[in-house]
Amino acid sequence: NNEANPHLFYNLLGSWEHADYGIKGTPMMRMLFGESVNYQFNCEEKTRLNLNLYPNPSSDYIRISGFESAISNIKVHNQQGQLQFESKRSLLDIRSLSEGMYFIDVSLKNGQRAIQKVYKK
């Protein structure tokens, strides 16, 4: 239907407003019955993981301290996002990597994650 609809109203902020007559077509409808609903969303506050990666930069090994016993998995990605290797140990052997920046993605057993940059020299 390409004709303007004179019976078109909208409610964005709690009161019904007459829609612009220039709007053409058929609107999608969401029917609400009963009391008005106050939609509120709550996000659980997450504490930031404070991992210490050292030495940074390094040419051979990177050690991850903090949460060692809770580590589920560690992924090392290059700057293009390509996975270089995975580990479950807090001591990473980076001797086989070429020089440059890498991202260390640490996942804990409780589902938390932290991503930090390291430099291979």
Side-chain angles (χ1 to χ4, degrees):
N1 185 2
N2 286 332
E3 295 179 23
N5 185 345
H7 306 290
L8 186 60
F9 292 83
Y10 65 93
N11 182 341
L12 295 177
L13 301 173
S15 65
W16 289 99
E17 303 291 330
H18 213 242
D20 178 11
Y21 285 121
I23 297 174
K24 297 189 182 339
T26 303
M28 294 179 62
M29 298 175 63
R30 183 180 70 186
M31 303 298 285
L32 294 176
F33 297 98
E35 298 293 320
S36 66
V37 178
N38 185 8
Y39 294 103
Q40 292 184 358
F41 300 97
N42 187 9
C43 295
E44 181 180 320
E45 187 71 30
K46 296 272 184 178
T47 57
R48 186 172 176 92
L49 292 180
N50 289 320
L51 298 174
N52 188 15
L53 280 65
Y54 63 90
N56 189 10
S58 176
S59 59
D60 49 11
Y61 293 95
I62 297 282
R63 180 173 296 281
I64 301 171
S65 68
F67 303 98
E68 293 92 343
S69 63
I71 291 175
S72 169
N73 193 29
I74 300 167
K75 295 180 182 180
V76 179
H77 294 89
N78 64 14
Q79 291 183 40
Q80 290 75 36
Q82 298 164 322
L83 180 64
Q84 300 301 296
F85 68 89
E86 291 186 61
S87 178
K88 296 194 183 301
R89 301 182 55 213
S90 60
L91 183 63
L92 303 176
D93 182 353
I94 61 169
R95 293 178 291 181
S96 64
L97 300 176
S98 57
E99 284 188 25
M101 182 176 66
Y102 294 87
F103 296 94
I104 309 297
D105 182 353
V106 179
S107 297
L108 300 184
K109 293 174 184 170
N110 68 2
Q112 286 185 296
R113 285 178 60 198
I115 300 174
Q116 288 187 236
K117 289 187 255 185
V118 295
Y119 297 91
K120 163 75 186 296
K121 57 181 180 176

